[in-house]
Amino acid sequence: MIFHKELKEAMALIDRMLDALQKGIPTRGTSGVELRRVVGNFQAHEVELIESFTIGTELFKCFEQARLAGATFDSLDGVRVAMLAEQPVFNFGKAAKLVGLMFSFVEQCLLVSKMVFDSRTDVEVMLVRKNFIIETLKLEVSELLDGTDYQALTTLAAALVQHLAVTERKLPQIVNYDMPTVRSALSLSNYFYGNGSRFDELIKENKIIHPLFFTRDVHALSE
Amino acid sequence: MGTIQDANPKATWRKRMRPASFAGARFHVEQQSRASGMRTVVHEYPKRNEPFAEIMGKHAVRYQVTGYCIGPEYHLEKEQLIGVLERPEAGALVDPYMPTQTLTCVCERYSVTETRERGGYCTFEMSFVEVGKAGNTPTANTNVALQNQANTTGIAGVNALNTAARQFVTGVSRVLGVFGP
């Protein structure tokens, strides 16, 4: 039965999507329990949700709860990678794959909107990652989405790039210093910023083993 | 052996001095000048003797430094200094006479001079300008705009899957007469 095959394919794909979504998220704590409850409820009533045309709404709730339960940018990337590996044959499965890609991107954008960046370099790294994701996504979804939905996706991509660009402008640059001698973290902090309290920031940025002995090539914020 | 800082214990300005450097590259200072001030617009009114100088903010701090490198390994210091002066990045300029204020500057222009008669010695003429911060950054709340657009796109995804479910169920119902609300 072709309908049975189509239904089975879509449900299996969504199950794999939810498995990827739950990977790396702590299952303990109130939000973790709530995530398991939402996903369990979804899986138990999947057929009824399809029948009542509310499967999209409930699946989005799972993604929202995953974010609240502590999904990270990388764990959501896992969903995207899992969905890109899928090769559904039927339309329903194709739509499920596409929506999985969209939802993971939407949740990643919501995470980025609350991220705190320390330097321009951090934002640039994020921009490079996002550009790759956006290009892949556009290629995947352009055939399946209708005009308005595709426009919503491209507008989201534009809003994300704009947010990152504006965030980047406000941040200090990472500057490379070539010091003539080996110095300690406290001394460098005092030398760069006029006070010694930012030594831990320098240690973190340069991944120094012992704070007394900095390498001569120092990366530090310009202000 | 003492340093020049110990020459006169009463000269506290000497004790405050620090070696001059730019982005970690040290040099000696022969002469330097610092320039800044307030930007003003002077309004002079007809039939009135008193002008009004409107303060529009501070001028960027500019340094004009004549420095030098000297010694048997002066060429290494020279190369290091040229390296940081030509780098397209800002760096900390340590003013030896004002050690409490390290400015982040960029070198606008420099020239280095070496002469046959003075071996192991080179002179740098350097112009620095304060980098400061990017001004007039748009303060639009891009966080909220991004969150709103993410929610809109999420709803678009919800509708896309709900519609796919509707098409699937309608197709099944049409063919088999079962399945559907």
Side-chain angles (χ1 to χ4, degrees):
Chain A
M1 271 286 271
I2 197 153
F3 290 118
H4 179 65
K5 275 186 185 171
E6 184 167 359
L7 183 65
K8 211 173 157 186
E9 180 193 68
M11 284 173 68
L13 189 147
I14 291 173
D15 283 347
R16 286 193 290 277
M17 184 196 302
L18 291 173
D19 286 345
L21 181 65
Q22 289 182 93
K23 248 183 212 169
I25 300 175
T27 49
R28 292 181 182 177
T30 320
S31 48
V33 170
E34 181 61 16
L35 172 65
R36 277 190 297 161
R37 192 192 65 75
V38 172
V39 171
N41 195 38
F42 178 88
Q43 285 173 326
H45 300 99
E46 212 164 335
V47 177
E48 289 95 315
L49 293 174
I50 294 170
E51 277 187 294
S52 60
F53 320 138
T54 54
I55 186 167
T57 318
E58 296 304 315
L59 186 62
F60 191 47
K61 276 186 194 166
C62 294
F63 274 82
E64 288 283 276
Q65 191 54 48
R67 180 171 52 84
L68 297 175
T72 60
F73 195 87
D74 289 331
S75 70
L76 288 164
D77 237 11
V79 178
R80 184 180 61 83
V81 172
M83 286 301 100
L84 286 175
E86 296 285 347
Q87 299 290 336
V89 181
F90 300 106
N91 282 342
F92 196 21
K94 284 179 184 172
K97 172 187 172 176
L98 157 79
V99 167
L101 287 169
M102 279 178 79
F103 285 169
S104 65
F105 182 57
V106 163
E107 297 303 328
Q108 281 183 324
C109 288
L110 289 170
L111 282 180
V112 170
S113 75
K114 291 190 177 169
M115 270 184 194
V116 178
F117 295 96
D118 289 331
S119 71
R120 289 188 183 193
T121 317
D122 291 353
V123 182
E124 277 162 17
V125 170
M126 181 57 74
L127 264 170
V128 171
R129 286 186 74 177
K130 292 313 301 179
N131 283 343
F132 175 72
I133 294 172
I134 290 166
E135 289 310 314
T136 325
L137 204 58
K138 276 183 185 169
L139 277 177
E140 285 290 327
V141 304
S142 56
E143 289 176 13
L144 290 165
L145 273 185
D146 71 20
T148 322
D149 293 346
Y150 184 73
Q151 200 179 2
L153 190 69
T154 49
T155 312
L156 177 61
L160 177 66
V161 172
Q162 191 196 11
H163 171 68
L164 288 174
V166 169
T167 308
E168 187 186 12
R169 266 208 300 272
K170 295 175 190 164
L171 290 172
Q173 279 177 303
I174 290 278
V175 181
N176 299 322
Y177 291 90
D178 186 10
M179 303 305 293
T181 53
V182 172
R183 298 177 77 153
S184 70
L186 269 173
S187 144
L188 280 174
S189 171
N190 201 44
Y191 183 65
F192 292 147
Y193 309 118
N195 71 67
S197 64
R198 292 172 70 180
F199 69 95
D200 50 345
E201 175 193 302
L202 289 172
I203 292 170
K204 209 167 140 192
E205 183 64 41
N206 292 276
K207 299 178 179 63
I208 292 301
I209 298 162
H210 196 291
L212 264 182
F213 307 102
F214 250 77
T215 52
R216 284 178 54 205
D217 299 324
V218 182
H219 310 289
L221 291 176
S222 61
E223 57 189 76
Chain B
M1 196 170 77
T3 64
I4 196 168
Q5 291 184 323
D6 307 320
N8 180 0
K10 287 180 184 172
T12 51
W13 66 271
R14 276 208 180 114
K15 290 197 184 298
R16 291 177 76 231
M17 284 181 81
R18 278 200 294 174
S21 67
F22 176 63
R26 286 195 183 185
F27 54 89
H28 303 283
V29 174
E30 182 68 44
Q31 181 184 315
Q32 71 166 38
S33 62
R34 173 184 165 129
S36 184
M38 301 310 291
R39 286 177 287 123
T40 53
V41 174
V42 180
H43 304 275
E44 290 177 310
Y45 304 99
K47 307 290 181 192
R48 199 176 127 180
N49 293 332
E50 200 179 17
F52 169 57
E54 187 180 357
I55 298 169
M56 306 297 280
K58 194 168 78 70
H59 273 294
V61 175
R62 285 177 186 276
Y63 271 94
Q64 185 66 43
V65 182
T66 307
Y68 61 93
C69 298
I70 191 166
E73 293 193 333
Y74 89 100
H75 59 290
L76 299 178
E77 290 177 11
K78 180 189 78 176
E79 282 162 14
Q80 193 189 5
L81 186 55
I82 288 176
V84 294
L85 290 174
E86 289 186 356
R87 213 169 45 175
E89 289 172 8
L93 177 67
V94 178
D95 174 351
Y97 298 94
M98 202 184 275
T100 51
Q101 192 185 24
T102 304
L103 270 183
T104 304
C105 293
V106 65
C107 177
E108 285 185 304
R109 199 153 187 82
Y110 80 91
S111 68
V112 55
T113 313
E114 285 158 306
T115 56
R116 183 181 53 80
E117 289 175 330
R118 293 183 177 184
Y121 175 82
C122 67
T123 317
F124 277 91
E125 287 289 341
M126 296 169 282
S127 304
F128 296 100
V129 64
E130 179 186 8
V131 167
K133 288 178 187 167
N136 300 332
T137 309
T139 51
N141 196 340
T142 51
N143 286 25
V144 175
L146 180 61
Q147 285 163 10
N148 289 343
Q149 190 54 42
N151 289 328
T152 309
T153 312
I155 291 166
V158 166
N159 291 337
L161 193 58
N162 286 346
T163 308
R166 185 183 293 276
Q167 284 168 351
F168 172 72
V169 170
T170 313
V172 176
S173 309
R174 200 169 49 241
V175 175
L176 302 177
V178 292
F179 206 49

